[in-house]
Amino acid sequence: MPARTTANQISFRYRSVDSATGITRETAKRLAEYLGVDETQAIHRALHELAVRVLPQYEADDGPLTAAQVRQIRKRVPQGAKRSVRSGLFSTETA
């Protein structure tokens, strides 16, 4: 495990009351106890859940296809032919 330095740490201040923008130390302790972890780990887990929910979980692509790319796809894939599904993943028979 890398040595701790002050360069990769931040100051964290609990709120005096629970609100939409923060929690009290008491709430953090209760949450940590419920999760079976220490307060620091509870904070890390909360931040991880927020990151997964808010930040994209994939690399950004190059944006929409260009007209040339669409033409290449249409050239390679037969157009106008009707297609139908002859089988599926789920059985439609009843037991």
Coordinates of all heavy atoms in Angstrom, one line a residue:
M1 N 0.9 -1.2 0.0 CA 0.0 0.0 0.0 C 0.9 1.2 0.0 O 1.8 1.3 0.8 CB -0.9 0.0 1.2 CG -1.8 1.1 1.3 SD -2.9 1.0 2.8 CE -4.3 0.2 2.0
P2 N 0.6 2.2 -0.9 CA 1.5 3.4 -0.9 C 1.4 4.2 0.4 O 0.4 4.2 1.1 CB 0.9 4.2 -2.1 CG -0.4 3.6 -2.4 CD -0.5 2.3 -1.8
A3 N 2.4 4.9 0.7 CA 2.5 5.7 1.9 C 1.5 6.9 1.8 O 1.3 7.4 0.7 CB 3.9 6.2 2.1
R4 N 0.9 7.2 2.9 CA 0.0 8.4 2.9 C 0.7 9.7 2.8 O 1.7 9.9 3.6 CB -0.9 8.3 4.1 CG -1.9 7.2 4.1 CD -2.7 7.2 5.3 NE -3.6 6.1 5.4 CZ -4.4 5.7 6.4 NH1 -4.3 6.5 7.5 NH2 -5.1 4.7 6.3
T5 N 0.3 10.6 2.0 CA 0.9 11.9 2.0 C -0.3 12.9 2.1 O -1.4 12.6 1.7 CB 1.6 12.2 0.7 OG1 0.7 12.1 -0.4 CG2 2.7 11.1 0.4
T6 N 0.0 14.1 2.5 CA -1.0 15.1 2.6 C -1.5 15.6 1.3 O -2.5 16.2 1.1 CB -0.5 16.3 3.5 OG1 0.7 16.8 2.9 CG2 -0.3 15.9 4.9
A7 N -0.7 15.3 0.2 CA -1.1 15.7 -1.1 C -2.3 15.0 -1.6 O -3.0 15.5 -2.5 CB 0.1 15.5 -2.1
N8 N -2.5 13.7 -1.1 CA -3.7 13.0 -1.6 C -4.8 12.9 -0.6 O -5.6 11.9 -0.6 CB -3.3 11.6 -2.2 CG -2.7 10.7 -1.1 OD1 -2.7 11.1 0.1 ND2 -2.3 9.5 -1.5
Q9 N -4.8 13.8 0.4 CA -5.9 13.8 1.4 C -6.6 15.1 1.3 O -6.1 16.1 0.9 CB -5.2 13.6 2.8 CG -4.6 12.2 2.9 CD -4.0 12.1 4.4 OE1 -4.3 12.9 5.2 NE2 -3.3 11.0 4.6
I10 N -7.9 15.1 1.8 CA -8.6 16.3 1.9 C -9.2 16.4 3.3 O -9.3 15.5 4.1 CB -9.8 16.3 0.9 CG1 -10.8 15.2 1.2 CG2 -9.3 16.2 -0.5 CD1 -12.1 15.3 0.5
S11 N -9.6 17.6 3.7 CA -10.2 17.9 4.9 C -11.7 17.6 4.7 O -12.3 18.0 3.7 CB -10.0 19.3 5.4 OG -10.8 19.6 6.5
F12 N -12.3 16.9 5.7 CA -13.8 16.5 5.6 C -14.4 17.0 6.8 O -14.1 16.7 7.9 CB -13.9 15.0 5.4 CG -15.4 14.6 5.3 CD1 -16.0 14.6 4.0 CD2 -16.1 14.2 6.3 CE1 -17.3 14.3 3.8 CE2 -17.5 13.8 6.2 CZ -18.0 13.9 4.9
R13 N -15.5 17.8 6.6 CA -16.2 18.4 7.8 C -17.7 17.9 7.7 O -18.3 18.0 6.7 CB -16.2 19.9 7.7 CG -14.9 20.5 8.0 CD -14.9 22.0 8.0 NE -13.6 22.6 7.9 CZ -12.9 22.9 6.8 NH1 -13.5 22.8 5.6 NH2 -11.7 23.4 6.8
Y14 N -18.1 17.3 8.8 CA -19.5 16.9 8.9 C -20.4 18.1 9.1 O -19.9 19.2 9.6 CB -19.7 15.9 10.1 CG -19.0 14.6 9.9 CD1 -17.8 14.3 10.5 CD2 -19.6 13.6 9.1 CE1 -17.2 13.0 10.3 CE2 -19.1 12.4 8.9 CZ -17.9 12.1 9.5 OH -17.3 10.9 9.3
R15 N -21.6 18.0 8.8 CA -22.6 19.1 9.0 C -23.1 19.0 10.4 O -23.1 18.0 11.1 CB -23.7 18.9 8.0 CG -23.3 18.9 6.5 CD -22.8 20.2 6.1 NE -22.7 20.3 4.6 CZ -21.5 20.5 4.0 NH1 -20.4 20.8 4.7 NH2 -21.5 20.6 2.7
S16 N -23.7 20.2 10.8 CA -24.3 20.2 12.2 C -25.6 19.6 12.2 O -26.1 19.1 13.2 CB -24.3 21.6 12.7 OG -25.1 22.4 11.8
V17 N -26.3 19.5 11.0 CA -27.6 18.8 10.9 C -27.6 18.1 9.5 O -26.9 18.5 8.6 CB -28.8 19.8 10.9 CG1 -28.9 20.5 12.2 CG2 -28.7 20.8 9.8
D18 N -28.4 17.0 9.5 CA -28.5 16.2 8.2 C -29.3 17.0 7.2 O -30.3 17.7 7.6 CB -29.2 14.9 8.5 CG -28.3 13.9 9.3 OD1 -27.1 14.0 9.1 OD2 -28.9 13.1 10.0
S19 N -28.9 17.0 6.0 CA -29.6 17.8 4.9 C -29.3 17.1 3.6 O -28.5 16.1 3.6 CB -29.2 19.2 4.9 OG -27.9 19.3 4.4
A20 N -29.8 17.6 2.5 CA -29.6 17.1 1.2 C -28.1 17.3 0.8 O -27.7 16.6 -0.1 CB -30.5 17.8 0.2
T21 N -27.4 18.2 1.5 CA -26.0 18.5 1.1 C -25.0 17.9 2.1 O -23.8 18.2 1.9 CB -25.8 20.0 0.9 OG1 -26.1 20.6 2.1 CG2 -26.7 20.5 -0.2
G22 N -25.4 17.2 3.1 CA -24.4 16.7 4.0 C -25.1 15.9 5.2 O -26.3 16.0 5.3
I23 N -24.2 15.3 6.0 CA -24.7 14.5 7.1 C -23.9 14.8 8.4 O -22.8 15.4 8.3 CB -24.7 13.0 6.9 CG1 -23.3 12.5 6.6 CG2 -25.6 12.6 5.7 CD1 -23.1 11.0 6.6
T24 N -24.5 14.5 9.5 CA -23.8 14.7 10.8 C -22.9 13.5 11.0 O -23.0 12.5 10.4 CB -24.8 14.8 11.9 OG1 -25.5 13.5 12.0 CG2 -25.8 15.9 11.7
R25 N -22.0 13.7 12.0 CA -21.1 12.6 12.3 C -21.9 11.4 12.9 O -21.5 10.3 12.6 CB -20.0 13.1 13.4 CG -19.1 12.1 13.9 CD -17.8 12.2 13.1 NE -16.9 11.1 13.4 CZ -15.7 11.2 14.0 NH1 -15.4 12.4 14.6 NH2 -14.9 10.2 14.2
E26 N -22.9 11.7 13.6 CA -23.7 10.7 14.2 C -24.3 9.8 13.1 O -24.4 8.6 13.2 CB -24.8 11.3 15.1 CG -25.7 10.2 15.8 CD -24.9 9.3 16.7 OE1 -23.9 9.7 17.3 OE2 -25.3 8.1 16.7
T27 N -24.8 10.4 12.1 CA -25.4 9.7 10.9 C -24.4 8.8 10.2 O -24.6 7.7 9.9 CB -26.1 10.6 9.9 OG1 -27.1 11.3 10.6 CG2 -26.7 9.9 8.8
A28 N -23.2 9.4 10.1 CA -22.1 8.7 9.5 C -21.7 7.4 10.3 O -21.5 6.3 9.8 CB -20.9 9.6 9.3
K29 N -21.7 7.6 11.6 CA -21.4 6.5 12.5 C -22.4 5.4 12.4 O -22.1 4.2 12.3 CB -21.2 7.0 13.9 CG -20.0 7.7 14.2 CD -19.9 8.2 15.7 CE -18.7 8.9 16.0 NZ -18.6 9.3 17.4
R30 N -23.7 5.8 12.4 CA -24.8 4.9 12.3 C -24.7 4.1 10.9 O -24.9 2.9 10.9 CB -26.1 5.6 12.4 CG -26.4 6.0 13.8 CD -27.7 6.8 14.0 NE -28.8 6.1 13.3 CZ -29.8 6.7 12.6 NH1 -29.8 8.0 12.5 NH2 -30.8 6.0 12.1
L31 N -24.5 4.8 9.9 CA -24.3 4.2 8.5 C -23.2 3.2 8.5 O -23.3 2.1 8.0 CB -24.2 5.3 7.5 CG -24.0 4.8 6.0 CD1 -25.3 4.1 5.6 CD2 -23.8 6.0 5.1
A32 N -22.0 3.6 9.0 CA -20.9 2.8 9.0 C -21.2 1.5 9.8 O -20.8 0.4 9.4 CB -19.7 3.5 9.6
E33 N -21.8 1.6 11.0 CA -22.2 0.5 11.8 C -23.1 -0.4 11.0 O -23.0 -1.7 11.0 CB -22.8 0.9 13.1 CG -23.1 -0.2 14.1 CD -23.7 0.3 15.4 OE1 -23.5 1.4 15.8 OE2 -24.5 -0.5 16.0
Y34 N -24.1 0.1 10.4 CA -25.1 -0.7 9.6 C -24.4 -1.4 8.5 O -24.7 -2.6 8.2 CB -26.2 0.3 9.0 CG -27.2 -0.4 8.2 CD1 -28.2 -1.1 8.8 CD2 -27.1 -0.5 6.8 CE1 -29.2 -1.8 8.0 CE2 -28.0 -1.1 6.0 CZ -29.0 -1.8 6.6 OH -30.0 -2.5 5.9
L35 N -23.4 -0.8 7.8 CA -22.7 -1.4 6.7 C -21.6 -2.4 7.2 O -21.1 -3.1 6.4 CB -22.1 -0.4 5.8 CG -23.1 0.5 5.1 CD1 -22.3 1.6 4.3 CD2 -23.9 -0.3 4.1
G36 N -21.2 -2.2 8.5 CA -20.2 -3.1 9.0 C -18.8 -2.6 8.6 O -17.9 -3.5 8.5
V37 N -18.6 -1.3 8.4 CA -17.3 -0.8 8.0 C -17.0 0.4 8.9 O -17.9 0.9 9.7 CB -17.3 -0.4 6.5 CG1 -17.6 -1.5 5.6 CG2 -18.4 0.7 6.2
D38 N -15.8 1.0 8.7 CA -15.5 2.2 9.5 C -16.0 3.4 8.7 O -16.5 3.3 7.6 CB -14.0 2.3 9.8 CG -13.1 2.4 8.5 OD1 -13.6 2.9 7.5 OD2 -12.0 2.0 8.6
E39 N -16.0 4.6 9.4 CA -16.5 5.8 8.7 C -15.9 6.1 7.4 O -16.5 6.5 6.5 CB -16.4 7.0 9.7 CG -17.3 6.9 10.9 CD -17.1 8.1 11.8 OE1 -17.4 9.2 11.4 OE2 -16.6 7.8 12.9
T40 N -14.6 6.0 7.3 CA -13.9 6.3 6.1 C -14.3 5.4 5.0 O -14.6 5.9 3.9 CB -12.3 6.1 6.3 OG1 -11.9 7.0 7.3 CG2 -11.6 6.5 5.0
Q41 N -14.5 4.1 5.2 CA -15.0 3.2 4.2 C -16.4 3.5 3.8 O -16.8 3.4 2.6 CB -14.9 1.8 4.7 CG -15.1 0.8 3.6 CD -14.1 0.8 2.5 OE1 -12.9 1.2 2.7 NE2 -14.5 0.5 1.3
A42 N -17.2 3.9 4.8 CA -18.6 4.3 4.4 C -18.6 5.5 3.5 O -19.4 5.6 2.5 CB -19.4 4.6 5.7
I43 N -17.7 6.5 3.7 CA -17.6 7.7 2.9 C -17.2 7.2 1.5 O -17.8 7.7 0.5 CB -16.7 8.7 3.5 CG1 -17.3 9.3 4.7 CG2 -16.4 9.8 2.5 CD1 -16.3 10.1 5.6
H44 N -16.2 6.4 1.4 CA -15.7 5.9 0.1 C -16.8 5.2 -0.7 O -17.0 5.4 -1.9 CB -14.5 5.0 0.3 CG -13.2 5.7 0.4 ND1 -12.6 6.4 -0.6 CD2 -12.4 5.9 1.5 CE1 -11.5 7.0 -0.1 NE2 -11.4 6.6 1.2
R45 N -17.6 4.3 0.0 CA -18.7 3.6 -0.6 C -19.7 4.5 -1.1 O -20.3 4.4 -2.2 CB -19.3 2.6 0.3 CG -18.3 1.4 0.5 CD -18.9 0.4 1.5 NE -20.0 -0.3 0.9 CZ -20.6 -1.4 1.5 NH1 -20.2 -1.8 2.6 NH2 -21.7 -1.9 0.9
A46 N -20.1 5.6 -0.3 CA -21.1 6.5 -0.8 C -20.6 7.3 -2.0 O -21.4 7.5 -2.9 CB -21.4 7.5 0.4
L47 N -19.3 7.7 -2.0 CA -18.8 8.4 -3.1 C -18.7 7.5 -4.4 O -19.0 8.0 -5.5 CB -17.4 9.0 -2.8 CG -17.4 10.2 -1.9 CD1 -16.0 10.5 -1.5 CD2 -18.1 11.4 -2.5
H48 N -18.4 6.2 -4.2 CA -18.4 5.3 -5.3 C -19.8 5.2 -5.9 O -20.0 5.2 -7.1 CB -17.8 3.9 -4.9 CG -17.9 2.9 -6.0 ND1 -18.9 2.1 -6.1 CD2 -17.0 2.7 -7.0 CE1 -18.7 1.3 -7.2 NE2 -17.5 1.7 -7.7
E49 N -20.8 5.0 -5.1 CA -22.2 4.8 -5.6 C -22.6 6.1 -6.3 O -23.2 6.0 -7.4 CB -23.1 4.6 -4.4 CG -23.1 3.2 -3.9 CD -24.2 2.9 -2.9 OE1 -25.3 3.4 -3.0 OE2 -23.9 2.0 -2.0
L50 N -22.2 7.3 -5.8 CA -22.5 8.5 -6.5 C -21.8 8.6 -7.9 O -22.4 9.0 -8.9 CB -22.2 9.7 -5.6 CG -22.5 11.1 -6.2 CD1 -24.0 11.3 -6.4 CD2 -22.0 12.2 -5.3
A51 N -20.6 8.2 -7.9 CA -19.8 8.3 -9.1 C -20.4 7.3 -10.2 O -20.5 7.7 -11.3 CB -18.3 7.9 -8.9
V52 N -20.8 6.1 -9.8 CA -21.4 5.2 -10.7 C -22.7 5.7 -11.2 O -23.0 5.6 -12.4 CB -21.6 3.8 -10.1 CG1 -22.5 2.9 -10.9 CG2 -20.3 3.2 -9.8
R53 N -23.5 6.4 -10.4 CA -24.8 6.9 -10.8 C -24.7 8.1 -11.6 O -25.5 8.4 -12.6 CB -25.6 7.2 -9.5 CG -27.1 7.2 -9.8 CD -27.9 7.3 -8.5 NE -27.7 8.6 -7.8 CZ -27.5 8.8 -6.5 NH1 -27.5 7.7 -5.7 NH2 -27.3 10.0 -6.0
V54 N -23.7 9.0 -11.4 CA -23.6 10.3 -12.1 C -22.7 10.3 -13.2 O -23.0 10.9 -14.3 CB -23.2 11.4 -11.0 CG1 -23.0 12.7 -11.7 CG2 -24.3 11.5 -10.0
L55 N -21.5 9.7 -13.1 CA -20.5 9.8 -14.2 C -20.7 8.7 -15.2 O -21.1 7.6 -14.9 CB -19.1 9.7 -13.6 CG -18.7 10.7 -12.5 CD1 -17.4 10.3 -11.9 CD2 -18.7 12.1 -13.1
P56 N -20.4 9.0 -16.5 CA -20.5 8.0 -17.5 C -19.6 6.8 -17.2 O -18.4 7.0 -16.7 CB -19.9 8.7 -18.8 CG -20.0 10.1 -18.5 CD -19.9 10.3 -17.0
Q57 N -20.0 5.6 -17.4 CA -19.3 4.4 -17.1 C -18.6 3.8 -18.3 O -18.3 2.6 -18.4 CB -20.2 3.4 -16.4 CG -20.8 3.9 -15.1 CD -19.7 4.3 -14.1 OE1 -18.9 3.4 -13.8 NE2 -19.7 5.5 -13.7
Y58 N -18.5 4.6 -19.4 CA -17.9 4.1 -20.6 C -17.1 5.3 -21.2 O -17.4 6.4 -20.9 CB -19.0 3.6 -21.6 CG -20.1 4.6 -21.8 CD1 -20.0 5.6 -22.7 CD2 -21.2 4.6 -21.0 CE1 -20.9 6.6 -22.9 CE2 -22.2 5.6 -21.1 CZ -22.1 6.5 -22.1 OH -23.0 7.5 -22.2
E59 N -16.2 5.0 -22.1 CA -15.5 6.0 -22.7 C -16.3 6.7 -23.8 O -17.1 6.0 -24.5 CB -14.2 5.5 -23.4 CG -13.2 5.0 -22.3 CD -11.8 5.0 -22.9 OE1 -11.5 5.7 -23.8 OE2 -11.0 4.2 -22.3
A60 N -16.2 7.9 -24.0 CA -17.0 8.6 -25.0 C -16.6 8.2 -26.4 O -15.4 7.9 -26.6 CB -16.7 10.1 -24.9
D61 N -17.6 8.0 -27.2 CA -17.2 7.6 -28.6 C -16.9 8.8 -29.4 O -16.8 9.9 -28.9 CB -18.4 6.7 -29.2 CG -19.7 7.5 -29.3 OD1 -19.7 8.7 -29.2 OD2 -20.7 6.8 -29.4
D62 N -16.8 8.6 -30.8 CA -16.5 9.7 -31.7 C -17.7 10.5 -32.1 O -17.6 11.3 -33.0 CB -15.8 9.1 -32.9 CG -14.4 8.5 -32.5 OD1 -13.8 8.9 -31.5 OD2 -14.0 7.6 -33.2
G63 N -18.9 10.2 -31.5 CA -20.1 11.0 -31.8 C -20.9 10.3 -32.9 O -20.6 9.1 -33.2
P64 N -21.8 11.0 -33.5 CA -22.7 10.3 -34.5 C -21.9 9.9 -35.7 O -20.8 10.4 -36.0 CB -23.7 11.4 -34.9 CG -23.3 12.6 -34.1 CD -22.1 12.3 -33.2
L65 N -22.4 8.9 -36.5 CA -21.8 8.5 -37.7 C -21.8 9.6 -38.7 O -22.7 10.4 -38.8 CB -22.5 7.2 -38.2 CG -22.5 6.0 -37.4 CD1 -23.4 4.9 -38.0 CD2 -21.1 5.5 -37.1
T66 N -20.8 9.6 -39.5 CA -20.7 10.5 -40.6 C -21.6 10.0 -41.8 O -21.9 8.8 -41.8 CB -19.3 10.7 -41.1 OG1 -18.8 9.5 -41.7 CG2 -18.4 11.2 -40.0
A67 N -21.9 10.8 -42.7 CA -22.6 10.4 -43.9 C -21.9 9.3 -44.7 O -22.5 8.4 -45.2 CB -22.9 11.6 -44.8
A68 N -20.6 9.4 -44.7 CA -19.8 8.4 -45.4 C -19.8 7.1 -44.7 O -19.9 6.0 -45.4 CB -18.3 8.9 -45.5
Q69 N -19.8 7.1 -43.4 CA -20.0 5.8 -42.6 C -21.3 5.2 -42.9 O -21.4 4.0 -43.0 CB -19.7 6.1 -41.2 CG -18.3 6.4 -40.8 CD -18.1 6.9 -39.4 OE1 -19.0 7.6 -38.9 NE2 -17.0 6.6 -38.8
V70 N -22.4 6.0 -42.9 CA -23.7 5.4 -43.1 C -23.8 4.8 -44.5 O -24.4 3.8 -44.7 CB -24.8 6.6 -42.9 CG1 -26.2 6.1 -43.4 CG2 -24.8 7.0 -41.5
R71 N -23.2 5.5 -45.5 CA -23.2 4.9 -46.9 C -22.4 3.6 -46.9 O -22.9 2.7 -47.6 CB -22.5 5.9 -47.8 CG -23.4 7.1 -48.3 CD -22.9 7.9 -49.5 NE -21.5 8.4 -49.2 CZ -21.3 9.6 -48.7 NH1 -22.3 10.4 -48.2 NH2 -20.1 10.0 -48.5
Q72 N -21.3 3.5 -46.2 CA -20.6 2.2 -46.2 C -21.4 1.1 -45.6 O -21.4 0.0 -46.0 CB -19.3 2.4 -45.4 CG -18.2 3.2 -46.1 CD -17.0 3.5 -45.2 OE1 -17.0 3.3 -44.0 NE2 -15.9 3.9 -45.8
I73 N -22.1 1.4 -44.5 CA -23.0 0.4 -43.8 C -24.1 0.0 -44.8 O -24.3 -1.2 -45.0 CB -23.5 1.0 -42.5 CG1 -22.4 1.2 -41.5 CG2 -24.6 0.0 -42.0 CD1 -22.9 1.9 -40.3
R74 N -24.7 0.9 -45.4 CA -25.8 0.6 -46.4 C -25.3 -0.2 -47.5 O -26.0 -1.1 -48.1 CB -26.5 1.9 -46.8 CG -27.4 2.5 -45.8 CD -28.2 3.6 -46.3 NE -29.1 4.1 -45.3 CZ -29.4 5.3 -45.0 NH1 -28.9 6.3 -45.8 NH2 -30.2 5.7 -44.1
K75 N -24.1 0.0 -48.0 CA -23.5 -0.7 -49.1 C -23.2 -2.1 -48.7 O -23.4 -3.0 -49.5 CB -22.2 0.0 -49.5 CG -21.5 -0.6 -50.7 CD -20.3 0.2 -51.1 CE -19.5 -0.5 -52.2 NZ -18.3 0.3 -52.5
R76 N -22.8 -2.4 -47.5 CA -22.5 -3.7 -47.0 C -23.7 -4.6 -46.6 O -23.6 -5.8 -46.5 CB -21.4 -3.7 -45.9 CG -20.1 -3.1 -46.4 CD -19.1 -3.1 -45.3 NE -17.9 -2.5 -45.9 CZ -16.9 -2.1 -45.1 NH1 -16.9 -2.3 -43.8 NH2 -15.8 -1.7 -45.7
V77 N -24.8 -3.9 -46.2 CA -25.9 -4.6 -45.7 C -27.0 -4.5 -46.7 O -27.4 -3.4 -47.2 CB -26.4 -4.0 -44.3 CG1 -27.7 -4.7 -43.9 CG2 -25.3 -4.0 -43.3
P78 N -27.6 -5.7 -47.1 CA -28.6 -5.7 -48.1 C -29.8 -4.8 -47.7 O -30.2 -4.9 -46.5 CB -29.1 -7.1 -48.2 CG -28.0 -7.9 -47.6 CD -27.3 -7.0 -46.7
Q79 N -30.3 -3.9 -48.5 CA -31.3 -3.0 -48.2 C -32.6 -3.5 -48.8 O -32.6 -4.1 -49.9 CB -31.0 -1.6 -48.7 CG -29.8 -1.0 -48.1 CD -29.8 -0.9 -46.6 OE1 -30.8 -0.3 -46.0 NE2 -28.9 -1.4 -45.9
G80 N -33.7 -3.2 -48.2 CA -35.0 -3.5 -48.7 C -35.5 -4.9 -48.5 O -36.7 -5.2 -48.7
A81 N -34.7 -5.8 -48.1 CA -35.1 -7.2 -47.9 C -35.8 -7.3 -46.5 O -35.3 -6.8 -45.5 CB -34.0 -8.1 -47.9
K82 N -37.0 -7.8 -46.5 CA -37.7 -8.0 -45.2 C -37.1 -9.1 -44.4 O -36.8 -10.2 -45.0 CB -39.2 -8.2 -45.4 CG -39.9 -7.0 -45.9 CD -41.4 -7.2 -45.9 CE -42.0 -5.9 -46.4 NZ -43.5 -5.9 -46.2
R83 N -37.0 -9.0 -43.2 CA -36.4 -10.0 -42.3 C -37.5 -10.4 -41.3 O -38.3 -9.6 -40.9 CB -35.2 -9.4 -41.6 CG -34.1 -8.8 -42.4 CD -33.2 -9.9 -43.0 NE -32.2 -9.3 -43.7 CZ -31.7 -9.7 -44.9 NH1 -32.2 -10.8 -45.4 NH2 -30.7 -9.1 -45.5
S84 N -37.4 -11.7 -40.8 CA -38.3 -12.1 -39.8 C -37.5 -13.0 -38.8 O -36.5 -13.6 -39.2 CB -39.5 -12.9 -40.4 OG -39.0 -14.1 -41.0
V85 N -38.0 -13.0 -37.6 CA -37.4 -13.9 -36.6 C -38.0 -15.2 -36.6 O -39.2 -15.4 -36.5 CB -37.5 -13.2 -35.2 CG1 -37.0 -14.1 -34.1 CG2 -36.9 -11.9 -35.2
R86 N -37.2 -16.3 -36.8 CA -37.7 -17.6 -36.8 C -37.6 -18.4 -35.5 O -38.1 -19.4 -35.3 CB -37.0 -18.4 -37.9 CG -37.4 -17.8 -39.3 CD -36.7 -18.6 -40.4 NE -37.0 -17.9 -41.6 CZ -37.1 -18.5 -42.8 NH1 -37.1 -19.8 -42.8 NH2 -37.3 -17.9 -43.8
S87 N -36.8 -17.8 -34.6 CA -36.6 -18.4 -33.3 C -36.3 -17.3 -32.3 O -36.0 -16.2 -32.7 CB -35.4 -19.4 -33.3 OG -34.2 -18.8 -33.5
G88 N -36.5 -17.6 -31.0 CA -36.2 -16.6 -30.0 C -35.5 -17.2 -28.8 O -35.2 -18.4 -28.8
L89 N -35.2 -16.4 -27.9 CA -34.5 -16.8 -26.7 C -35.4 -17.5 -25.7 O -35.0 -18.3 -24.9 CB -33.8 -15.7 -26.0 CG -32.7 -15.0 -26.8 CD1 -32.3 -13.7 -26.0 CD2 -31.5 -15.9 -26.9
F90 N -36.7 -17.2 -25.8 CA -37.7 -17.7 -24.8 C -38.7 -18.6 -25.5 O -39.2 -18.3 -26.6 CB -38.4 -16.6 -24.1 CG -37.4 -15.6 -23.5 CD1 -37.2 -14.4 -24.1 CD2 -36.8 -15.9 -22.3 CE1 -36.3 -13.5 -23.5 CE2 -35.9 -15.0 -21.7 CZ -35.6 -13.8 -22.4
S91 N -39.0 -19.7 -24.9 CA -40.0 -20.6 -25.4 C -41.4 -20.0 -25.3 O -41.7 -19.4 -24.2 CB -39.9 -21.9 -24.7 OG -41.0 -22.8 -25.1
T92 N -42.2 -20.2 -26.3 CA -43.6 -19.6 -26.2 C -44.6 -20.7 -25.9 O -45.8 -20.5 -25.8 CB -44.0 -19.0 -27.5 OG1 -43.9 -19.9 -28.6 CG2 -43.2 -17.7 -27.8
E93 N -44.1 -22.0 -25.7 CA -44.9 -23.1 -25.4 C -45.3 -23.0 -23.9 O -44.5 -22.6 -23.1 CB -44.2 -24.4 -25.7 CG -43.9 -24.7 -27.1 CD -43.1 -25.9 -27.3 OE1 -43.1 -26.8 -26.4 OE2 -42.4 -26.1 -28.3
T94 N -46.5 -23.4 -23.6 CA -47.0 -23.5 -22.2 C -46.8 -24.9 -21.7 O -47.0 -25.9 -22.5 CB -48.4 -23.0 -22.1 OG1 -49.3 -23.8 -22.9 CG2 -48.6 -21.5 -22.5
A95 N -46.5 -25.0 -20.5 CA -46.3 -26.4 -19.9 C -47.6 -27.1 -19.6 O -48.7 -26.6 -19.4 CB -45.5 -26.2 -18.6

